[in-house]
Amino acid sequence: MGNPSRRTSGKTFKESNLRFRYKVMLGVGVSLAIALFSGANAILNVRQVETSVNFSSDAASPLLIGVISLSESYQKLQSVFDPVMRNCASLEGASRFLANSEANQTTKLESLKKLAGEANALKELKRYEFSGQKIFRTRQALLDICHDYTTSKSHFSSAENSIRIATNVVGLKASTNVIALEARLAELRRIKKPHMPRGTFSVYEISERRMEAEISEISRQIRDFYKVRILVAEIGSASVLVTNSSKSFEFQRKRKSFLIKMQSLEGVFEASKQYFESIGRAGDYAGTYAMVKQTRLMLDDGPRSLFKSAQALIEIDRAKQGLVLRLQREQGQYSVALLNIMDVAQRINRNAQARTEEDANRASWEIAATMAVAALFTLLVGWYFKNAVTRPLELLTNNVGRLGRALRDDDDPVDISLLERGDEIGDLAIQFSRTFQLLTQARRELQESSRAEISLQRDRLNGAIENMPQGLYMLDSDGRIIVANRRLAHIYNLGDTGDLGGVTVKEFIELCRAKGAGVKRVISDDTEHDIRGRYQTSQRLVELDDGRIMTMKVMQLPDGGHVVTHEDITEKQVASEKIEHMAMHDGLTGLANRALFRKHVDQQIEKGADREAALLFLDLDRFKIVNDTLGHPIGDALLVEVANRIRAILGADCFAARLGGDEFALYQTNTTQPIGAKKLAVDVTRCISEPFDIDGHHIIIGTSIGIALAPRDGADADELLKNADMALYRAKQEGKGSYRFFEPDMDRKMRDWHEMERDLREAIVGQQFELYYQPLVSLDDRRILAFEALIRWHHPRRGFVSPADFIPVAEETGLINEIGRWVLDTATKQALQWPDDIAVAVNVSPVQFRTGQLQLKIVSALSHSGLEPERLMIEITEGVFLNDTDQTMAILGDLKLLGVKIAMDDFGTGYSSLSYIRKFRFDKIKIDQSFVRDLNDNPESMAIIRAVTNLCKDLGMVTVAEGVETAEHAAILTGIGCETAQGYHFGRPMRAADTLALFDVPVKISA
């Protein structure tokens, strides 16, 4: 074959390399030129499409989107104004929203004018702007009318109240005089005339005539005073009758009627002047007649009288209706203008899209044509490379394929023609020839080393098989044992039976049975099959005659044989069953745990999807008190007893579980619902409410239950548990020791609750809260003593949110601690702007006491603000004493030592108000406004307030009356002896900046 190395001189290799390089460069150059041409054409067409798209995205689409945004803003404004149009409600929020909406609309229109100009839609946009401006003006006029309506309504109410007070006084005076006159009349009638002979004239006859004249006069006066009582009763009802007058002529008729009654009342009372003077009560007459004049003034003569206010309300209502009709017409014009601009914007947008689509189609055709030309040139380049490069490489590949065959006869597989080539392929063929010679030599050396390695691996395999912890045998394709280890004979008690080689599986099984180790039963058998239906691997779990548990694993070998391993897992199985039971049951009570309960419920639902069932969610009442007072061991023992009682009353169709803590769950099937669930809930409640005797402790608890019915309230265990939990929450809210069924409205309320919680968290971060201050004044001289800090939340979407709505959520979630800290910090800082003798009162929730850190937060707030502790008053309710009284008393004691004042708020509305006063010496007691509100109509309220005031005086505490709204309330409270008051009569809650204006004049508040 010769030595191929003689053909690889340096000159020959270099020349051949240059020739091959030229071939490659030529092909690459042509391909690059074609690619550049195609790319340039594609870029040009993409630029054209981009121009069309830019017009659509920069002008047409933004214009359409902007117009839609204006429409949505207007619809939102319309929803905000619905209460205003109906009954002039939510004026403050509507006014702010109108101003914001108008500014917003103006800003959006300015930004759209440029786009409308580019899209030739400026004329339609200006029409829309003109319609919108008219609507805004009309809405503002409607707001002004509603403000006038509110003012007139206030005047009407004030006049009504004054008339009621005045007529009550006049009526009371008339009733008093009637009683006195009737008593005098009865006295005169008891005087009997002496018996005298007929025709005899004496002094007795003269006295009798005078007496009859006096009786006649008294009777007339009684009739006059009865008439006064009737007239003041009718005049006192004027407000009700006037309110029901919707038409002007009807109103004027009633007005004329009441003026006639008023004139009659004045005439009758003027006629009674002589009677008052005769009995020496001219001053009483003057005071009562002044109330009659006050009645006329507030009925018709005064500028803010009842009739004038009612007339103003009728006129305002008529004007409001006119504005509403005008607004409806303008809304129609606005809708037409909106539809026009939207139609123009849509038409421009469609035209822009059509032009974009046309440019894109043209670009596609041009790019496709360019790609076809490029493909043709690529085929030509490929044909060239095929002849110049790939054919020689194909021949060389065929030679390499002969390499394996040649290794067996040591012949050189490389074609002689390739060895004689002068280019790179010839050089590669020479290298293949040399490599083949080296491979032939390496093959011989490998064969020798492989024989030694196989022998070593065989010895290692035998050692591994004999030392396995499992028994093993290997079967050939005929099912006979070819290899078996000693562990196998030990497992099946075979002893020194001898070599098992050649034994069939059936014979092996008979040997095991003879030794008492046969298979008693098959526990499980898992087999994996291939696509041909033959199993590849299998695992069988069996129990032997002697009680042991064995696992047998079978693996199929490529030659049709099998490898079978045997393992004794008796101890593992026992441990596994114990672990499984522990994993699925509660370790304390032995009931099922949450995982097993969910599994059981889902299985029952799957068995009968349409079958009625009930899930009862139980939570023990007062269990935490047992844990806290008697300790956790007693609490655990109590849980065990509760579980035993539940087991005792459950039937075969009920499944019980302990979900954690003091929460239990029951699942009832095969019972008519909801009757079965009600009966079960009553039985469970009754058995748990019976006393428990645990380690000498007499314990009484209860349970609250939430019930969800399947399939009505849920399709799986998780949904039923969730809905039963919501029903349980409602049962606890409405009073413990009861049960409630789930209602769909509970889910909505829970979502509202969570949404309120999320908004509260955002409000804390975004500082959306503000403090308002209501004055507390001295009833002696109307001097301001303090301000109570009241939190207000102005939500950006909800508007004003009442504290009654968000404070319960804050307390339930614990957010009240952050809100309370902010209130303390803010109130103490703002209080520094007031005179030094003005204090600030801050309400503290019972939740803030539970942390045990309240006194530290108060000290921090006082330290940062610099406010004197004596100027801070903490207001608490009786709820702070319901839990952990010792800790609460310790905190209150620390605050008293610090110098902070403590007040009991809403006094009289709880269960143990007097006991709390005895436990702790408060600085102030605030009488709940429900008692003050009933002062005029309920004598019991006045008696309670008088008793509390006297009690506090004896104990050295100050009383504060809440909810004082009238001068009459203030006068009565002053007479009772109450020192301090708070209410709308002295001042409504106001911003911090508004409180400063009160101190520019003598510090005094008027109604």
Side-chain angles (χ1 to χ4, degrees):
M1 191 172 65
N3 187 4
S5 61
R6 56 183 174 81
R7 307 187 191 92
T8 60
S9 62
K11 180 179 180 181
T12 304
F13 181 82
K14 184 176 181 181
E15 290 174 354
S16 65
N17 190 44
L18 288 174
R19 289 195 304 273
F20 192 76
R21 182 183 301 171
Y22 292 152
K23 298 174 186 178
V24 174
M25 290 179 64
L26 176 61
V28 171
V30 173
S31 299
L32 182 60
I34 295 172
L36 289 174
F37 174 74
S38 301
N41 183 62
I43 291 173
L44 179 62
N45 284 282
V46 168
R47 290 293 186 187
Q48 293 177 350
V49 175
E50 184 180 2
T51 301
S52 300
V53 171
N54 286 341
F55 173 75
S56 177
S57 62
D58 294 342
S61 295
L63 178 61
L64 180 59
I65 293 171
V67 171
I68 293 174
S69 175
L70 288 173
S71 175
E72 292 175 350
S73 299
Y74 174 76
Q75 291 175 356
K76 186 174 182 181
L77 176 63
Q78 188 173 0
S79 66
V80 171
F81 259 79
D82 283 343
V84 178
M85 295 173 65
R86 287 196 300 269
N87 51 14
C88 287
S90 304
L91 296 181
E92 183 179 353
S95 180
R96 289 198 306 270
F97 194 85
L98 178 65
N100 294 336
S101 180
E102 185 173 11
N104 222 2
Q105 192 97 323
T106 303
T107 304
K108 289 182 179 179
L109 284 171
E110 290 299 325
S111 63
L112 290 179
K113 283 181 179 178
K114 181 180 179 181
L115 298 175
E118 295 177 2
N120 295 324
L122 192 59
K123 182 177 180 181
E124 287 77 5
L125 187 65
K126 287 184 177 179
R127 288 178 180 172
Y128 171 81
E129 180 181 12
F130 177 72
S131 299
Q133 289 174 348
K134 288 201 301 183
I135 287 179
F136 278 117
R137 288 195 296 270
T138 303
R139 289 190 186 280
Q140 185 59 52
L142 184 60
L143 280 176
D144 295 340
I145 283 290
C146 282
H147 280 297
D148 294 342
Y149 181 86
T150 303
T151 302
S152 297
K153 190 70 175 178
S154 175
H155 294 165
F156 183 88
S157 299
S158 178
E160 178 186 10
N161 190 41
S162 297
I163 290 173
R164 181 174 60 83
I165 293 173
T167 53
N168 284 343
V169 172
V170 174
L172 181 62
K173 294 296 183 181
S175 298
T176 303
N177 289 313
V178 166
I179 293 172
L181 288 171
E182 287 178 344
R184 175 61 179 162
L185 182 63
E187 181 181 358
L188 292 175
R189 287 174 175 171
R190 283 197 303 269
I191 300 175
K192 295 182 178 180
K193 169 185 168 184
H195 178 70
M196 297 294 296
R198 179 178 299 272
T200 306
F201 181 79
S202 69
V203 69
Y204 294 102
E205 292 181 354
I206 298 174
S207 297
E208 183 180 4
R209 291 173 186 166
R210 291 177 179 174
M211 188 181 300
E212 288 177 354
E214 185 177 356
I215 289 173
S216 176
E217 177 63 22
I218 290 175
S219 298
R220 183 189 64 79
Q221 291 171 350
I222 289 175
R223 288 194 300 274
D224 288 346
F225 280 119
Y226 268 114
K227 186 175 183 181
V228 168
R229 288 174 59 183
I230 295 171
L231 288 173
V232 296
E234 292 177 349
I235 293 172
S237 64
S239 61
V240 178
L241 297 175
V242 169
T243 303
N244 295 329
S245 301
S246 59
K247 297 180 180 180
S248 181
F249 72 89
E250 183 182 356
F251 169 76
Q252 294 298 338
R253 180 178 58 79
K254 291 182 178 180
R255 180 179 184 178
K256 183 176 180 180
S257 173
F258 276 105
L259 289 178
I260 293 173
K261 293 176 182 178
M262 191 66 222
Q263 291 173 358
S264 177
L265 175 63
E266 291 174 338
V268 172
F269 222 84
E270 286 175 355
S272 68
K273 182 177 180 180
Q274 183 178 359
Y275 164 72
F276 279 98
E277 290 176 348
S278 66
I279 61 176
R281 291 170 55 193
D284 195 6
Y285 170 81
T288 308
Y289 192 68
M291 298 306 290
V292 173
K293 290 299 183 181
Q294 175 70 11
T295 301
R296 169 176 280 280
L297 180 68
M298 297 312 298
L299 186 68
D300 190 62
D301 291 353
R304 297 182 179 179
S305 63
L306 185 74
F307 285 121
K308 291 182 179 178
S309 299
Q311 180 68 37
L313 287 174
I314 294 174
E315 294 173 356
I316 290 171
D317 187 64
R318 187 182 299 113
K320 175 191 167 189
Q321 295 301 323
L323 285 174
V324 170
L325 293 175
R326 189 174 82 184
L327 182 60
Q328 291 174 349
R329 291 195 302 271
E330 291 174 350
Q331 286 174 346
Q333 297 171 0
Y334 173 86
S335 299
V336 172
L338 177 63
L339 290 174
N340 288 338
I341 187 64
M342 288 183 67
D343 182 61
V344 171
Q346 290 174 348
R347 184 175 67 253
I348 293 171
N349 193 38
R350 289 195 298 269
N351 293 339
Q353 292 176 353
R355 188 171 68 182
T356 302
E357 184 177 357
E358 181 181 351
D359 291 342
N361 291 333
R362 186 184 68 254
S364 300
W365 281 107
E366 291 185 4
I367 292 174
T370 304
M371 294 302 295
V373 173
L376 180 60
F377 275 100
T378 303
L379 289 174
L380 293 175
V381 172
W383 178 82
Y384 170 75
F385 272 102
K386 176 183 177 183
N387 290 286
V389 178
T390 59
R391 281 184 178 177
L393 289 176
E394 182 180 356
L395 181 59
L396 182 60
T397 302
N398 292 333
N399 292 156
V400 173
R402 293 163 52 194
L403 180 61
R405 296 189 299 274
L407 286 175
R408 285 175 282 187
D409 53 13
D410 295 340
D411 291 335
D412 194 340
V414 182
D415 197 308
I416 190 64
S417 62
L418 293 176
L419 295 172
E420 294 176 349
R421 285 178 65 97
D423 56 7
E424 293 89 347
I425 295 177
D427 297 337
L428 186 59
I430 294 172
Q431 296 300 325
F432 274 137
S433 179
R434 291 177 179 175
T435 302
F436 170 73
Q437 295 172 9
L438 295 174
L439 287 175
T440 302
Q441 181 180 355
R443 184 188 64 178
R444 296 190 184 98
E445 296 174 355
L446 182 60
Q447 287 174 347
E448 293 298 328
S449 63
S450 296
R451 294 188 184 96
E453 182 67 22
I454 290 172
S455 177
L456 177 62
Q457 293 298 333
R458 185 184 297 111
D459 295 339
R460 291 176 177 174
L461 178 61
N462 289 333
I465 291 175
E466 290 299 331
N467 289 281
M468 286 177 60
Q470 298 90 6
L472 176 143
Y473 63 72
M474 184 181 296
L475 304 174
D476 59 14
S477 58
D478 295 328
R480 293 185 178 274
I481 297 176
I482 56 177
V483 176
N485 64 0
R486 288 190 299 270
R487 177 61 179 165
L488 181 68
H490 176 73
I491 290 175
Y492 290 101
N493 305 324
L494 298 180
D496 298 331
T497 305
D499 187 11
L500 295 175
V503 176
T504 63
V505 175
K506 183 177 180 181
E507 294 171 344
F508 175 75
I509 293 174
E510 292 299 330
L511 287 173
C512 295
R513 289 188 183 278
K515 298 296 183 179
V519 176
K520 180 179 180 180
R521 66 185 180 96
V522 178
I523 299 175
S524 64
D525 191 357
D526 297 327
T527 303
E528 295 184 4
H529 296 273
D530 62 3
I531 59 176
R532 299 178 183 177
R534 299 177 302 174
Y535 67 85
Q536 297 290 334
T537 59
S538 67
Q539 179 170 327
R540 176 178 294 182
L541 190 67
V542 301
E543 182 182 357
L544 301 183
D545 293 333
D546 57 6
R548 289 182 296 160
I549 305 297
M550 303 293 294
T551 178
M552 303 175 184
K553 296 181 180 179
V554 182
M555 183 179 67
Q556 189 174 13
L557 299 175
D559 61 355
H562 297 83
V563 174
V564 183
T565 59
H566 300 254
E567 184 178 3
D568 186 350
I569 62 167
T570 304
E571 295 181 359
K572 292 182 180 180
Q573 187 72 9
V574 173
S576 176
E577 291 176 356
K578 184 176 181 181
I579 292 172
E580 182 179 358
H581 182 273
M582 292 173 63
M584 290 296 178
H585 291 78
D586 176 45
L588 180 64
T589 63
L591 295 176
N593 62 9
R594 183 182 292 271
L596 181 57
F597 184 75
R598 290 176 65 254
K599 181 179 179 181
H600 174 80
V601 173
D602 287 335
Q603 288 175 347
Q604 292 296 320
I605 292 175
E606 186 176 354
K607 287 180 182 178
D610 299 329
R611 188 171 55 187
E612 291 183 336
L615 191 151
L616 284 72
F617 200 141
L618 285 67
D619 185 84
L620 301 182
D621 300 332
R622 300 181 295 279
F623 178 75
K624 183 178 183 302
I625 299 175
V626 175
N627 258 350
D628 294 343
T629 56
L630 302 180
H632 289 280
I634 299 297
D636 291 345
L638 177 61
L639 290 175
V640 173
E641 289 300 320
V642 168
N644 292 337
R645 289 190 181 182
I646 291 176
R647 285 193 190 94
I649 66 171
L650 294 185
D653 296 329
C654 289
F655 188 80
R658 180 190 175 207
L659 304 184
D662 60 342
E663 295 179 345
F664 295 83
L666 308 176
Y667 192 71
Q668 183 185 50
T669 56
N670 299 328
T671 305
T672 303
Q673 300 298 344
I675 299 173
K678 288 181 179 178
K679 183 179 182 303
L680 181 59
V682 171
D683 292 342
V684 171
T685 303
R686 183 176 61 251
C687 80
I688 294 179
S689 62
E690 294 177 358
F692 292 84
D693 289 321
I694 299 176
D695 291 346
H697 298 285
H698 190 71
I699 300 173
I700 298 177
I701 61 172
T703 182
S704 300
I705 304 175
I707 307 174
L709 300 180
R712 187 194 71 180
D713 299 333
D716 56 30
D718 290 334
E719 189 174 3
L720 286 173
L721 280 169
K722 183 194 73 171
N723 292 337
D725 192 18
M726 282 191 281
L728 171 63
Y729 183 80
R730 178 63 63 84
K732 281 185 170 292
Q733 280 186 326
E734 295 180 356
K736 298 179 180 179
S738 62
Y739 65 89
R740 281 297 304 269
F741 283 87
F742 170 76
E743 299 170 1
D745 186 56
M746 295 178 181
D747 192 21
R748 179 186 60 79
K749 291 183 178 179
M750 188 61 69
R751 288 197 304 271
D752 293 343
W753 180 279
H754 290 312
E755 183 179 357
M756 178 70 77
E757 178 184 354
R758 185 182 65 250
D759 289 350
L760 267 178
R761 296 185 187 277
E762 294 177 356
I764 293 172
V765 176
Q767 297 183 351
Q768 298 174 3
F769 297 110
E770 184 181 4
L771 287 185
Y772 278 54
Y773 296 92
Q774 187 174 25
L776 284 78
V777 303
S778 170
L779 287 174
D780 291 335
D781 54 5
R782 300 301 194 265
R783 180 172 54 88
I784 297 178
L785 302 176
F787 285 98
E788 180 180 359
L790 304 170
I791 190 169
R792 295 292 183 263
W793 180 15
H794 299 284
H795 192 278
R797 187 180 71 259
R798 299 171 183 260
F800 174 76
V801 183
S802 171
D805 294 334
F806 72 83
I807 290 298
V809 179
E811 290 182 332
E812 181 74 18
T813 58
L815 295 175
I816 192 66
N817 290 307
E818 296 183 49
I819 296 174
R821 182 178 60 186
W822 177 85
V823 171
L824 280 169
D825 293 340
T826 305
T828 52
K829 290 177 183 177
Q830 292 178 344
L832 287 176
Q833 304 176 36
W834 304 330
D836 294 339
D837 59 342
I838 305 299
V840 62
V842 177
N843 292 279
V844 176
S845 166
V847 179
Q848 295 174 258
F849 277 82
R850 297 174 192 168
T851 62
Q853 304 294 320
L854 178 62
Q855 61 271 55
L856 299 179
K857 294 178 181 178
I858 293 176
V859 169
S860 175
L862 293 172
S863 175
H864 284 87
S865 64
L867 186 72
E868 294 296 328
E870 292 77 11
R871 293 182 61 191
L872 175 62
M873 177 176 294
I874 298 299
E875 295 190 3
I876 64 174
T877 60
E878 299 168 14
V880 302
F881 296 101
L882 296 180
N883 293 313
D884 202 352
T885 305
D886 293 338
Q887 177 178 320
T888 300
M889 296 300 291
I891 294 174
L892 292 176
D894 292 343
L895 295 178
K896 287 283 284 187
L897 291 176
L898 184 64
V900 175
K901 307 297 184 183
I902 309 296
M904 167 69 81
D905 198 7
D906 300 335
F907 182 80
T909 59
Y911 295 103
S912 305
S913 301
L914 295 177
S915 65
Y916 297 140
I917 292 180
R918 182 173 56 84
K919 287 182 180 180
F920 185 79
R921 186 178 183 83
F922 292 93
D923 296 288
K924 286 189 178 182
I925 299 297
K926 300 188 73 173
I927 301 173
D928 189 70
Q929 59 182 345
S930 60
F931 298 105
V932 178
R933 191 184 305 117
D934 297 338
L935 267 179
N936 295 336
D937 305 323
N938 191 346
E940 295 179 355
S941 295
M942 183 179 296
I944 291 172
I945 295 175
R946 181 182 290 110
V948 172
T949 302
N950 294 333
L951 175 64
C952 291
K953 283 182 179 179
D954 294 339
L955 296 176
M957 302 179 188
V958 177
T959 52
V960 180
E962 295 183 293
V964 180
E965 299 186 355
T966 65
E968 187 177 0
H969 286 166
I972 295 173
L973 290 169
T974 302
I976 291 175
C978 186
E979 299 99 326
T980 313
Q982 177 183 2
Y984 286 176
H985 178 66
F986 302 104
R988 292 176 176 269
M990 63 193 76
R991 287 186 166 90
D994 297 334
T995 62
L996 302 179
L998 300 177
F999 305 115
D1000 293 336
V1001 296
V1003 183
K1004 191 173 182 180
I1005 297 290
S1006 60

